[in-house]
């Protein structure tokens, strides 16, 4: 529905290119829930907080780039289970101290500056994010799930300078940073609880990103440091969790251990600083760990997506991937589905009228009339415009009614989302 898109755009006033969502709704012209007088269906609302991992940053990105990180993938996984929205408040370069300051301002309803969040943040949206705390509070209050990835920037200078430190100095600095992490994250979680006392919070630990071949004999030293951070995250979560207010750790670090080389960029930026972020495989792994903790599975379409431009589109209705000979059709830039397949999948009834070349569909308190070739459908007697009309397609010896994805949303009130990366349309009643 349109509300899901509004939530994504609202994050950091975010239609800004690099941080905008990759998903579109299919584009009906009128909200049929309003036309039909229907109440708004339940939506599983995810709010993502944290640093550049939450943003989905990869080296070389700029404001013209579109991220496809773990949060976008987690949103897709949510669509397998029902209507899901995402508000992403990730901030490039954020530390736990910055997150504490940011969530503090959000919980108090105050507008602050970027430097009041954290001095020197390089995120080009930082002033917009700082000024938009009211929208962040609204999203956090409505959240069913809050994800947090944070801590890498707390440890990054220690990681980058570890070769110059004695073993004793390294441990002293590590102890100090872990102490600061604990204080900052407890305060952050308290700030979140002040807004939404019972929301489920998933807090990720941080992996040691550089592979053994890069660190040679120092690999185990940094792996031990990462393990200590994980233990600290576990302790923070345990101290803040309640029976009706879950705080759970997402153990990302153990999934990266020993596989860092294929999951992480280790490159130098133009200003000669080490820039370490997940690759696409790394982001997928993070999303997988989150999804398996949430839903017990991480799903991908059965249709191969190795070559997305050549692969046919997959259709998932109510979490079930349609397996039908009536394949989706791309026409005039729009994706069309065989109407009967969708109706069967959701349990709706339909009746065809040869005289008027129209189908009458009854579902969820709506009676929808779809006429072949018309850019107008009727919802409970009221006219609703659609971008492209339905048409008949010969399949074997039968004529099948093909309906644009947009009409499913505007006519039947379905939630229709499309993932270009998965080449999959998700349809949820």
């Amino acid at each position: 529905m349109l509300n899901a898109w509004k939530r994504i755009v609202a994050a950091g006033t975010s239609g800004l290119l690099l941080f905008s969502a990759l998903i579109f709704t299919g584009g009906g012209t009128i909200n049929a829930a309003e036309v039909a007088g229907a109440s708004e269906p339940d939506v599983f609302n995810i709010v993502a907080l944290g640093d550049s991992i939450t943003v989905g940053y990869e080296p070389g990105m700029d404001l013209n780039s579109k991220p496809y990180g773990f949060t976008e993938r987690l949103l897709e996984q949510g669509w397998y289970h029902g209507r899901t929205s995402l508000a992403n408040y990730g901030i490039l370069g954020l530390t736990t101290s910055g997150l504490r300051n940011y969530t503090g301002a959000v919980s108090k309803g105050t507008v602050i500056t970027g430097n009041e969040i954290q001095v020197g943040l390089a995120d080009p949206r930082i002033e917009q994010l700082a000024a938009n705390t009211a929208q962040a509070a609204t999203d956090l209050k409505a959240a069913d799930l809050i994800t947090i990835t944070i801590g890498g920037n707390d440890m990054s200078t220690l990681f980058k300078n570890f070769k110059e430190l004695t073993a004793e100095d390294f441990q002293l600095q590590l102890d100090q940073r872990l102490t600061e992490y604990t204080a900052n994250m407890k305060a952050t979680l308290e700030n979140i609880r002040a807004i939404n006392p019972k929301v489920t919070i998933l807090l990720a630990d941080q992996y040691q990103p550089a592979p053994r071949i890069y660190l040679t004999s120092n690999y185990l030293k940094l792996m031990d440091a990462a393990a200590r951070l994980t233990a600290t995250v576990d302790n923070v979560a345990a101290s803040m969790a309640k029976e009706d207010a879950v705080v759970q750790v997402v153990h990302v670090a153990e999934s990266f251990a020993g596989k860092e080389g294929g999951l992480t960029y280790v490159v130098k930026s133009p200003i000669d600083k080490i820039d370490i972020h997940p690759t696409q495989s790394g982001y997928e792994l993070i999303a997988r760990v989150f999804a398996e903790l949430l839903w017990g599975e991480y799903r991908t379409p059965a249709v191969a997506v190795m070559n997305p431009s050549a692969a046919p589109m997959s259709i998932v209705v109510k979490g079930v991937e349609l397996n039908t000979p009536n394949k989706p059709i791309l026409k005039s830039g729009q994706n069309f589905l065989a109407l009967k397949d969708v109706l069967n999948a959701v349990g709706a009834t339909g009746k065809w009228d040869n005289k008027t070349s129209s189908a009458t569909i009854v579902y969820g308190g709506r009676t929808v009339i779809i006429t072949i070739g018309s850019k107008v459908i009727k919802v409970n007697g009221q006219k609703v415009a659609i971008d492209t009309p339905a048409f008949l397609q010969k399949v074997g010896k039968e004529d099948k009614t093909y309906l644009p994805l947009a009409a499913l949303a505007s006519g039947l009130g379905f939630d229709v989302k499309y993932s270009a990366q998965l080449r999959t349309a998700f349809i949820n009643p």
Side-chain angles (χ1 to χ4, degrees):
M1 293 291 286
L2 299 179
N3 282 347
W5 176 248
K6 288 177 182 177
R7 286 186 177 278
I8 297 171
V9 171
T13 58
S14 251
L16 293 179
L17 299 165
L18 167 58
F19 312 99
S20 64
L22 300 176
I23 316 302
F24 60 88
T25 59
T29 58
I30 296 178
N31 186 334
E34 296 173 0
V35 170
S39 59
E40 191 69 20
D42 288 339
V43 178
F44 184 67
N45 299 313
I46 302 173
V47 175
L49 299 173
D51 53 21
S52 55
I53 305 300
T54 295
V55 173
Y57 180 81
E58 295 178 77
M61 275 188 167
D62 58 26
L63 286 176
N64 294 312
S65 304
K66 294 181 179 180
Y68 185 52
F70 95 88
T71 57
E72 288 79 17
R73 288 174 164 90
L74 193 62
L75 177 62
E76 293 169 348
Q77 293 301 305
W79 291 336
Y80 276 107
H81 298 274
R83 297 179 183 231
T84 305
S85 74
L86 169 68
N88 190 326
Y89 289 92
I91 300 174
L92 296 173
L94 195 68
T95 64
T96 56
S97 176
L99 183 59
R100 176 181 184 168
N101 295 335
Y102 177 64
T103 55
V106 172
S107 68
K108 295 172 184 174
T110 58
V111 175
I112 57 175
T113 66
N115 278 338
E116 287 174 318
I117 293 175
Q118 184 177 317
V119 175
L121 282 170
D123 195 316
R125 310 160 304 145
I126 189 57
E127 295 305 329
Q128 294 169 315
L129 283 163
N132 202 34
T133 53
Q135 182 61 53
T138 298
D139 287 336
L140 285 169
K141 187 174 182 179
D144 299 291
L145 172 71
I146 295 172
T147 67
I148 304 175
T149 64
I150 199 75
N153 293 312
D154 294 48
M155 304 294 168
S156 60
T157 55
L158 182 60
F159 167 79
K160 293 172 184 177
N161 299 327
F162 76 95
K163 292 181 179 179
E164 287 77 44
L165 298 174
T166 66
E168 182 179 4
D169 285 341
F170 180 85
Q171 290 302 322
L172 285 173
Q173 289 197 32
L174 178 60
D175 290 342
Q176 179 182 357
R177 290 166 197 242
L178 294 178
T179 299
E180 291 171 353
Y181 176 96
T182 298
N184 288 331
M185 286 312 301
K186 285 185 176 181
T188 293
L189 295 174
E190 288 171 354
N191 291 336
I192 293 171
R193 289 286 182 231
I195 303 168
N196 191 334
K198 296 185 178 181
V199 67
T200 295
I201 300 172
L202 297 186
L203 174 60
D205 63 0
Q206 296 285 311
Y207 55 91
Q208 185 286 107
R212 183 186 295 271
I213 192 172
Y214 181 79
L215 293 172
T216 60
S217 61
N218 294 297
Y219 178 80
L220 294 179
K221 178 180 179 180
L222 291 180
M223 289 297 286
D224 180 67
R228 288 193 59 195
L229 176 58
T230 294
T232 301
V233 178
D234 287 338
N235 289 335
V236 168
S239 70
M240 297 297 295
K242 299 179 181 178
E243 185 175 346
D244 61 346
V246 174
V247 180
Q248 194 162 356
V249 178
V250 184
H251 290 104
V252 171
E254 63 186 15
S255 297
F256 273 71
K259 298 178 286 187
E260 301 87 0
L263 301 173
T264 314
Y265 296 104
V266 181
V267 299
K268 286 191 176 182
S269 71
I271 57 175
D272 202 38
K273 291 184 178 179
I274 297 296
D275 192 352
I276 299 170
H277 286 89
T279 60
Q280 280 294 297
S281 296
Y283 277 122
E284 182 174 13
L285 181 58
I286 295 171
R288 180 180 295 276
V289 179
F290 270 89
E292 289 177 350
L293 183 60
L294 271 170
W295 296 294
E297 62 179 355
Y298 182 85
R299 296 180 59 180
T300 54
V303 175
V305 292
M306 294 299 291
N307 184 3
S309 61
M313 184 174 72
S314 296
I315 308 296
V316 176
V317 182
K318 292 174 63 176
V320 177
E321 189 169 353
L322 294 186
N323 183 13
T324 170
N326 306 316
K327 298 305 180 185
I329 293 174
L330 182 65
K331 183 178 180 181
S332 302
Q334 296 286 323
N335 285 303
F336 288 75
L337 308 181
L339 179 59
K340 185 176 181 181
D341 291 337
V342 178
L343 298 185
N344 289 342
V346 300
T349 60
K351 182 175 65 175
W352 177 255
D353 187 334
N354 279 323
K355 292 182 179 180
T356 60
S357 295
S358 63
T360 299
I361 303 154
V362 178
Y363 181 81
R366 288 182 173 84
T367 299
V368 181
I369 300 176
I370 299 168
T371 302
I372 299 299
S374 175
K375 287 191 175 183
V376 174
I377 62 177
K378 287 187 177 181
V379 182
N380 289 351
Q382 298 187 48
K383 293 181 178 180
V384 177
I386 59 176
D387 294 331
T388 48
F391 64 90
L392 292 177
Q393 175 76 12
K394 181 74 73 175
V395 180
K397 295 182 179 181
E398 294 185 84
D399 287 323
K400 299 287 185 180
T401 301
Y402 270 75
L403 186 70
L405 277 175
L408 293 174
S410 58
L412 296 173
F414 293 163
D415 182 55
V416 180
K417 298 292 187 296
Y418 180 73
S419 167
Q421 285 72 24
L422 299 180
R423 285 189 55 79
T424 299
F426 296 87
I427 301 170
N428 284 297

mmCIF file with all atom_site columns, all heavy atoms in Angstrom, residues 113-134:
data_model
loop_
_atom_site.group_PDB
_atom_site.id
_atom_site.type_symbol
_atom_site.label_atom_id
_atom_site.label_alt_id
_atom_site.label_comp_id
_atom_site.label_asym_id
_atom_site.label_entity_id
_atom_site.label_seq_id
_atom_site.pdbx_PDB_ins_code
_atom_site.Cartn_x
_atom_site.Cartn_y
_atom_site.Cartn_z
_atom_site.occupancy
_atom_site.B_iso_or_equiv
_atom_site.pdbx_formal_charge
_atom_site.auth_seq_id
_atom_site.auth_comp_id
_atom_site.auth_asym_id
_atom_site.auth_atom_id
_atom_site.pdbx_PDB_model_num
ATOM 1   N N   . THR A 1 113 ? 21.135 19.532 15.713 1.00 0.00 ? 113 THR A N   1
ATOM 2   C CA  . THR A 1 113 ? 21.993 19.668 14.535 1.00 0.00 ? 113 THR A CA  1
ATOM 3   C C   . THR A 1 113 ? 22.802 18.394 14.337 1.00 0.00 ? 113 THR A C   1
ATOM 4   O O   . THR A 1 113 ? 22.892 17.549 15.236 1.00 0.00 ? 113 THR A O   1
ATOM 5   C CB  . THR A 1 113 ? 22.964 20.845 14.690 1.00 0.00 ? 113 THR A CB  1
ATOM 6   O OG1 . THR A 1 113 ? 23.888 20.545 15.759 1.00 0.00 ? 113 THR A OG1 1
ATOM 7   C CG2 . THR A 1 113 ? 22.221 22.129 14.999 1.00 0.00 ? 113 THR A CG2 1
ATOM 8   N N   . GLY A 1 114 ? 23.415 18.289 13.170 1.00 0.00 ? 114 GLY A N   1
ATOM 9   C CA  . GLY A 1 114 ? 24.264 17.139 12.908 1.00 0.00 ? 114 GLY A CA  1
ATOM 10  C C   . GLY A 1 114 ? 25.401 17.022 13.893 1.00 0.00 ? 114 GLY A C   1
ATOM 11  O O   . GLY A 1 114 ? 25.717 15.931 14.374 1.00 0.00 ? 114 GLY A O   1
ATOM 12  N N   . ASN A 1 115 ? 26.031 18.137 14.208 1.00 0.00 ? 115 ASN A N   1
ATOM 13  C CA  . ASN A 1 115 ? 27.150 18.104 15.151 1.00 0.00 ? 115 ASN A CA  1
ATOM 14  C C   . ASN A 1 115 ? 26.716 17.752 16.565 1.00 0.00 ? 115 ASN A C   1
ATOM 15  O O   . ASN A 1 115 ? 27.523 17.265 17.360 1.00 0.00 ? 115 ASN A O   1
ATOM 16  C CB  . ASN A 1 115 ? 27.883 19.454 15.159 1.00 0.00 ? 115 ASN A CB  1
ATOM 17  C CG  . ASN A 1 115 ? 28.863 19.570 14.002 1.00 0.00 ? 115 ASN A CG  1
ATOM 18  O OD1 . ASN A 1 115 ? 29.305 18.564 13.440 1.00 0.00 ? 115 ASN A OD1 1
ATOM 19  N ND2 . ASN A 1 115 ? 29.192 20.792 13.626 1.00 0.00 ? 115 ASN A ND2 1
ATOM 20  N N   . GLU A 1 116 ? 25.454 17.999 16.894 1.00 0.00 ? 116 GLU A N   1
ATOM 21  C CA  . GLU A 1 116 ? 24.948 17.591 18.209 1.00 0.00 ? 116 GLU A CA  1
ATOM 22  C C   . GLU A 1 116 ? 24.702 16.083 18.258 1.00 0.00 ? 116 GLU A C   1
ATOM 23  O O   . GLU A 1 116 ? 24.715 15.494 19.338 1.00 0.00 ? 116 GLU A O   1
ATOM 24  C CB  . GLU A 1 116 ? 23.679 18.370 18.549 1.00 0.00 ? 116 GLU A CB  1
ATOM 25  C CG  . GLU A 1 116 ? 23.948 19.825 18.893 1.00 0.00 ? 116 GLU A CG  1
ATOM 26  C CD  . GLU A 1 116 ? 22.674 20.620 19.080 1.00 0.00 ? 116 GLU A CD  1
ATOM 27  O OE1 . GLU A 1 116 ? 21.721 20.431 18.277 1.00 0.00 ? 116 GLU A OE1 1
ATOM 28  O OE2 . GLU A 1 116 ? 22.614 21.428 20.022 1.00 0.00 ? 116 GLU A OE2 1
ATOM 29  N N   . ILE A 1 117 ? 24.483 15.493 17.106 1.00 0.00 ? 117 ILE A N   1
ATOM 30  C CA  . ILE A 1 117 ? 24.425 14.033 17.060 1.00 0.00 ? 117 ILE A CA  1
ATOM 31  C C   . ILE A 1 117 ? 25.836 13.482 17.192 1.00 0.00 ? 117 ILE A C   1
ATOM 32  O O   . ILE A 1 117 ? 26.124 12.663 18.067 1.00 0.00 ? 117 ILE A O   1
ATOM 33  C CB  . ILE A 1 117 ? 23.776 13.553 15.744 1.00 0.00 ? 117 ILE A CB  1
ATOM 34  C CG1 . ILE A 1 117 ? 22.303 13.949 15.706 1.00 0.00 ? 117 ILE A CG1 1
ATOM 35  C CG2 . ILE A 1 117 ? 23.922 12.026 15.602 1.00 0.00 ? 117 ILE A CG2 1
ATOM 36  C CD1 . ILE A 1 117 ? 21.618 13.627 14.395 1.00 0.00 ? 117 ILE A CD1 1
ATOM 37  N N   . GLN A 1 118 ? 26.714 13.951 16.318 1.00 0.00 ? 118 GLN A N   1
ATOM 38  C CA  . GLN A 1 118 ? 28.110 13.500 16.342 1.00 0.00 ? 118 GLN A CA  1
ATOM 39  C C   . GLN A 1 118 ? 28.931 14.453 15.487 1.00 0.00 ? 118 GLN A C   1
ATOM 40  O O   . GLN A 1 118 ? 28.578 14.719 14.338 1.00 0.00 ? 118 GLN A O   1
ATOM 41  C CB  . GLN A 1 118 ? 28.205 12.077 15.788 1.00 0.00 ? 118 GLN A CB  1
ATOM 42  C CG  . GLN A 1 118 ? 29.579 11.453 15.832 1.00 0.00 ? 118 GLN A CG  1
ATOM 43  C CD  . GLN A 1 118 ? 29.563 10.023 15.320 1.00 0.00 ? 118 GLN A CD  1
ATOM 44  O OE1 . GLN A 1 118 ? 28.674 9.239  15.637 1.00 0.00 ? 118 GLN A OE1 1
ATOM 45  N NE2 . GLN A 1 118 ? 30.548 9.671  14.516 1.00 0.00 ? 118 GLN A NE2 1
ATOM 46  N N   . VAL A 1 119 ? 29.989 14.949 16.022 1.00 0.00 ? 119 VAL A N   1
ATOM 47  C CA  . VAL A 1 119 ? 30.810 15.928 15.309 1.00 0.00 ? 119 VAL A CA  1
ATOM 48  C C   . VAL A 1 119 ? 31.477 15.273 14.102 1.00 0.00 ? 119 VAL A C   1
ATOM 49  O O   . VAL A 1 119 ? 32.039 14.184 14.193 1.00 0.00 ? 119 VAL A O   1
ATOM 50  C CB  . VAL A 1 119 ? 31.877 16.526 16.249 1.00 0.00 ? 119 VAL A CB  1
ATOM 51  C CG1 . VAL A 1 119 ? 32.817 17.455 15.475 1.00 0.00 ? 119 VAL A CG1 1
ATOM 52  C CG2 . VAL A 1 119 ? 31.222 17.269 17.403 1.00 0.00 ? 119 VAL A CG2 1
ATOM 53  N N   . GLY A 1 120 ? 31.386 15.977 12.962 1.00 0.00 ? 120 GLY A N   1
ATOM 54  C CA  . GLY A 1 120 ? 32.150 15.558 11.791 1.00 0.00 ? 120 GLY A CA  1
ATOM 55  C C   . GLY A 1 120 ? 31.555 14.443 10.975 1.00 0.00 ? 120 GLY A C   1
ATOM 56  O O   . GLY A 1 120 ? 32.263 13.837 10.157 1.00 0.00 ? 120 GLY A O   1
ATOM 57  N N   . LEU A 1 121 ? 30.267 14.134 11.134 1.00 0.00 ? 121 LEU A N   1
ATOM 58  C CA  . LEU A 1 121 ? 29.669 13.082 10.335 1.00 0.00 ? 121 LEU A CA  1
ATOM 59  C C   . LEU A 1 121 ? 29.681 13.457 8.854  1.00 0.00 ? 121 LEU A C   1
ATOM 60  O O   . LEU A 1 121 ? 29.351 14.584 8.480  1.00 0.00 ? 121 LEU A O   1
ATOM 61  C CB  . LEU A 1 121 ? 28.232 12.816 10.782 1.00 0.00 ? 121 LEU A CB  1
ATOM 62  C CG  . LEU A 1 121 ? 28.077 11.987 12.058 1.00 0.00 ? 121 LEU A CG  1
ATOM 63  C CD1 . LEU A 1 121 ? 26.620 12.012 12.529 1.00 0.00 ? 121 LEU A CD1 1
ATOM 64  C CD2 . LEU A 1 121 ? 28.529 10.553 11.841 1.00 0.00 ? 121 LEU A CD2 1
ATOM 65  N N   . ALA A 1 122 ? 30.048 12.495 8.021  1.00 0.00 ? 122 ALA A N   1
ATOM 66  C CA  . ALA A 1 122 ? 30.176 12.759 6.588  1.00 0.00 ? 122 ALA A CA  1
ATOM 67  C C   . ALA A 1 122 ? 28.892 12.498 5.815  1.00 0.00 ? 122 ALA A C   1
ATOM 68  O O   . ALA A 1 122 ? 28.846 12.700 4.610  1.00 0.00 ? 122 ALA A O   1
ATOM 69  C CB  . ALA A 1 122 ? 31.305 11.901 6.012  1.00 0.00 ? 122 ALA A CB  1
ATOM 70  N N   . ASP A 1 123 ? 27.859 12.024 6.486  1.00 0.00 ? 123 ASP A N   1
ATOM 71  C CA  . ASP A 1 123 ? 26.601 11.713 5.810  1.00 0.00 ? 123 ASP A CA  1
ATOM 72  C C   . ASP A 1 123 ? 25.995 12.999 5.232  1.00 0.00 ? 123 ASP A C   1
ATOM 73  O O   . ASP A 1 123 ? 25.711 13.934 5.979  1.00 0.00 ? 123 ASP A O   1
ATOM 74  C CB  . ASP A 1 123 ? 25.628 11.064 6.796  1.00 0.00 ? 123 ASP A CB  1
ATOM 75  C CG  . ASP A 1 123 ? 24.458 10.396 6.091  1.00 0.00 ? 123 ASP A CG  1
ATOM 76  O OD1 . ASP A 1 123 ? 23.908 11.014 5.160  1.00 0.00 ? 123 ASP A OD1 1
ATOM 77  O OD2 . ASP A 1 123 ? 24.094 9.276  6.478  1.00 0.00 ? 123 ASP A OD2 1
ATOM 78  N N   . PRO A 1 124 ? 25.776 13.054 3.905  1.00 0.00 ? 124 PRO A N   1
ATOM 79  C CA  . PRO A 1 124 ? 25.252 14.295 3.317  1.00 0.00 ? 124 PRO A CA  1
ATOM 80  C C   . PRO A 1 124 ? 23.828 14.621 3.746  1.00 0.00 ? 124 PRO A C   1
ATOM 81  O O   . PRO A 1 124 ? 23.351 15.733 3.531  1.00 0.00 ? 124 PRO A O   1
ATOM 82  C CB  . PRO A 1 124 ? 25.332 14.029 1.811  1.00 0.00 ? 124 PRO A CB  1
ATOM 83  C CG  . PRO A 1 124 ? 25.310 12.542 1.680  1.00 0.00 ? 124 PRO A CG  1
ATOM 84  C CD  . PRO A 1 124 ? 26.037 12.020 2.892  1.00 0.00 ? 124 PRO A CD  1
ATOM 85  N N   . ARG A 1 125 ? 23.116 13.666 4.359  1.00 0.00 ? 125 ARG A N   1
ATOM 86  C CA  . ARG A 1 125 ? 21.740 13.911 4.797  1.00 0.00 ? 125 ARG A CA  1
ATOM 87  C C   . ARG A 1 125 ? 21.646 14.274 6.268  1.00 0.00 ? 125 ARG A C   1
ATOM 88  O O   . ARG A 1 125 ? 20.547 14.377 6.804  1.00 0.00 ? 125 ARG A O   1
ATOM 89  C CB  . ARG A 1 125 ? 20.884 12.658 4.589  1.00 0.00 ? 125 ARG A CB  1
ATOM 90  C CG  . ARG A 1 125 ? 20.956 12.032 3.223  1.00 0.00 ? 125 ARG A CG  1
ATOM 91  C CD  . ARG A 1 125 ? 20.477 10.577 3.313  1.00 0.00 ? 125 ARG A CD  1
ATOM 92  N NE  . ARG A 1 125 ? 21.275 9.878  4.313  1.00 0.00 ? 125 ARG A NE  1
ATOM 93  C CZ  . ARG A 1 125 ? 20.793 8.930  5.121  1.00 0.00 ? 125 ARG A CZ  1
ATOM 94  N NH1 . ARG A 1 125 ? 19.542 8.573  5.059  1.00 0.00 ? 125 ARG A NH1 1
ATOM 95  N NH2 . ARG A 1 125 ? 21.584 8.347  5.989  1.00 0.00 ? 125 ARG A NH2 1
ATOM 96  N N   . ILE A 1 126 ? 22.792 14.448 6.951  1.00 0.00 ? 126 ILE A N   1
ATOM 97  C CA  . ILE A 1 126 ? 22.769 14.499 8.397  1.00 0.00 ? 126 ILE A CA  1
ATOM 98  C C   . ILE A 1 126 ? 21.902 15.638 8.932  1.00 0.00 ? 126 ILE A C   1
ATOM 99  O O   . ILE A 1 126 ? 21.178 15.453 9.928  1.00 0.00 ? 126 ILE A O   1
ATOM 100 C CB  . ILE A 1 126 ? 24.202 14.562 8.985  1.00 0.00 ? 126 ILE A CB  1
ATOM 101 C CG1 . ILE A 1 126 ? 24.147 14.400 10.503 1.00 0.00 ? 126 ILE A CG1 1
ATOM 102 C CG2 . ILE A 1 126 ? 24.927 15.814 8.557  1.00 0.00 ? 126 ILE A CG2 1
ATOM 103 C CD1 . ILE A 1 126 ? 23.478 13.138 10.996 1.00 0.00 ? 126 ILE A CD1 1
ATOM 104 N N   . GLU A 1 127 ? 21.938 16.813 8.306  1.00 0.00 ? 127 GLU A N   1
ATOM 105 C CA  . GLU A 1 127 ? 21.129 17.916 8.820  1.00 0.00 ? 127 GLU A CA  1
ATOM 106 C C   . GLU A 1 127 ? 19.638 17.637 8.628  1.00 0.00 ? 127 GLU A C   1
ATOM 107 O O   . GLU A 1 127 ? 18.814 18.012 9.470  1.00 0.00 ? 127 GLU A O   1
ATOM 108 C CB  . GLU A 1 127 ? 21.530 19.236 8.156  1.00 0.00 ? 127 GLU A CB  1
ATOM 109 C CG  . GLU A 1 127 ? 22.951 19.686 8.477  1.00 0.00 ? 127 GLU A CG  1
ATOM 110 C CD  . GLU A 1 127 ? 23.232 19.779 9.982  1.00 0.00 ? 127 GLU A CD  1
ATOM 111 O OE1 . GLU A 1 127 ? 22.301 20.066 10.764 1.00 0.00 ? 127 GLU A OE1 1
ATOM 112 O OE2 . GLU A 1 127 ? 24.397 19.541 10.375 1.00 0.00 ? 127 GLU A OE2 1
ATOM 113 N N   . GLN A 1 128 ? 19.283 16.980 7.562  1.00 0.00 ? 128 GLN A N   1
ATOM 114 C CA  . GLN A 1 128 ? 17.885 16.607 7.343  1.00 0.00 ? 128 GLN A CA  1
ATOM 115 C C   . GLN A 1 128 ? 17.434 15.572 8.361  1.00 0.00 ? 128 GLN A C   1
ATOM 116 O O   . GLN A 1 128 ? 16.324 15.644 8.889  1.00 0.00 ? 128 GLN A O   1
ATOM 117 C CB  . GLN A 1 128 ? 17.700 16.084 5.918  1.00 0.00 ? 128 GLN A CB  1
ATOM 118 C CG  . GLN A 1 128 ? 17.935 17.151 4.858  1.00 0.00 ? 128 GLN A CG  1
ATOM 119 C CD  . GLN A 1 128 ? 18.003 16.560 3.467  1.00 0.00 ? 128 GLN A CD  1
ATOM 120 O OE1 . GLN A 1 128 ? 18.657 15.537 3.247  1.00 0.00 ? 128 GLN A OE1 1
ATOM 121 N NE2 . GLN A 1 128 ? 17.341 17.195 2.518  1.00 0.00 ? 128 GLN A NE2 1
ATOM 122 N N   . LEU A 1 129 ? 18.292 14.596 8.618  1.00 0.00 ? 129 LEU A N   1
ATOM 123 C CA  . LEU A 1 129 ? 17.959 13.597 9.628  1.00 0.00 ? 129 LEU A CA  1
ATOM 124 C C   . LEU A 1 129 ? 17.809 14.235 11.004 1.00 0.00 ? 129 LEU A C   1
ATOM 125 O O   . LEU A 1 129 ? 16.889 13.919 11.757 1.00 0.00 ? 129 LEU A O   1
ATOM 126 C CB  . LEU A 1 129 ? 19.048 12.515 9.658  1.00 0.00 ? 129 LEU A CB  1
ATOM 127 C CG  . LEU A 1 129 ? 19.007 11.486 8.530  1.00 0.00 ? 129 LEU A CG  1
ATOM 128 C CD1 . LEU A 1 129 ? 20.332 10.750 8.435  1.00 0.00 ? 129 LEU A CD1 1
ATOM 129 C CD2 . LEU A 1 129 ? 17.866 10.511 8.736  1.00 0.00 ? 129 LEU A CD2 1
ATOM 130 N N   . ALA A 1 130 ? 18.724 15.139 11.335 1.00 0.00 ? 130 ALA A N   1
ATOM 131 C CA  . ALA A 1 130 ? 18.686 15.794 12.640 1.00 0.00 ? 130 ALA A CA  1
ATOM 132 C C   . ALA A 1 130 ? 17.426 16.631 12.805 1.00 0.00 ? 130 ALA A C   1
ATOM 133 O O   . ALA A 1 130 ? 16.859 16.714 13.906 1.00 0.00 ? 130 ALA A O   1
ATOM 134 C CB  . ALA A 1 130 ? 19.928 16.663 12.823 1.00 0.00 ? 130 ALA A CB  1
ATOM 135 N N   . ALA A 1 131 ? 16.977 17.246 11.719 1.00 0.00 ? 131 ALA A N   1
ATOM 136 C CA  . ALA A 1 131 ? 15.789 18.091 11.796 1.00 0.00 ? 131 ALA A CA  1
ATOM 137 C C   . ALA A 1 131 ? 14.491 17.303 11.734 1.00 0.00 ? 131 ALA A C   1
ATOM 138 O O   . ALA A 1 131 ? 13.412 17.862 11.961 1.00 0.00 ? 131 ALA A O   1
ATOM 139 C CB  . ALA A 1 131 ? 15.821 19.114 10.650 1.00 0.00 ? 131 ALA A CB  1
ATOM 140 N N   . ASN A 1 132 ? 14.586 16.016 11.442 1.00 0.00 ? 132 ASN A N   1
ATOM 141 C CA  . ASN A 1 132 ? 13.395 15.204 11.196 1.00 0.00 ? 132 ASN A CA  1
ATOM 142 C C   . ASN A 1 132 ? 13.110 14.236 12.339 1.00 0.00 ? 132 ASN A C   1
ATOM 143 O O   . ASN A 1 132 ? 12.569 13.157 12.129 1.00 0.00 ? 132 ASN A O   1
ATOM 144 C CB  . ASN A 1 132 ? 13.567 14.421 9.891  1.00 0.00 ? 132 ASN A CB  1
ATOM 145 C CG  . ASN A 1 132 ? 12.234 13.999 9.302  1.00 0.00 ? 132 ASN A CG  1
ATOM 146 O OD1 . ASN A 1 132 ? 11.242 14.701 9.416  1.00 0.00 ? 132 ASN A OD1 1
ATOM 147 N ND2 . ASN A 1 132 ? 12.222 12.844 8.670  1.00 0.00 ? 132 ASN A ND2 1
ATOM 148 N N   . THR A 1 133 ? 13.467 14.617 13.552 1.00 0.00 ? 133 THR A N   1
ATOM 149 C CA  . THR A 1 133 ? 13.279 13.718 14.698 1.00 0.00 ? 133 THR A CA  1
ATOM 150 C C   . THR A 1 133 ? 11.810 13.424 14.982 1.00 0.00 ? 133 THR A C   1
ATOM 151 O O   . THR A 1 133 ? 11.481 12.360 15.515 1.00 0.00 ? 133 THR A O   1
ATOM 152 C CB  . THR A 1 133 ? 13.945 14.299 15.957 1.00 0.00 ? 133 THR A CB  1
ATOM 153 O OG1 . THR A 1 133 ? 13.471 15.650 16.151 1.00 0.00 ? 133 THR A OG1 1
ATOM 154 C CG2 . THR A 1 133 ? 15.466 14.313 15.823 1.00 0.00 ? 133 THR A CG2 1
ATOM 155 N N   . ALA A 1 134 ? 10.920 14.341 14.635 1.00 0.00 ? 134 ALA A N   1
ATOM 156 C CA  . ALA A 1 134 ? 9.493  14.102 14.883 1.00 0.00 ? 134 ALA A CA  1
ATOM 157 C C   . ALA A 1 134 ? 8.990  12.922 14.060 1.00 0.00 ? 134 ALA A C   1
ATOM 158 O O   . ALA A 1 134 ? 8.247  12.065 14.562 1.00 0.00 ? 134 ALA A O   1
ATOM 159 C CB  . ALA A 1 134 ? 8.689  15.360 14.561 1.00 0.00 ? 134 ALA A CB  1
#
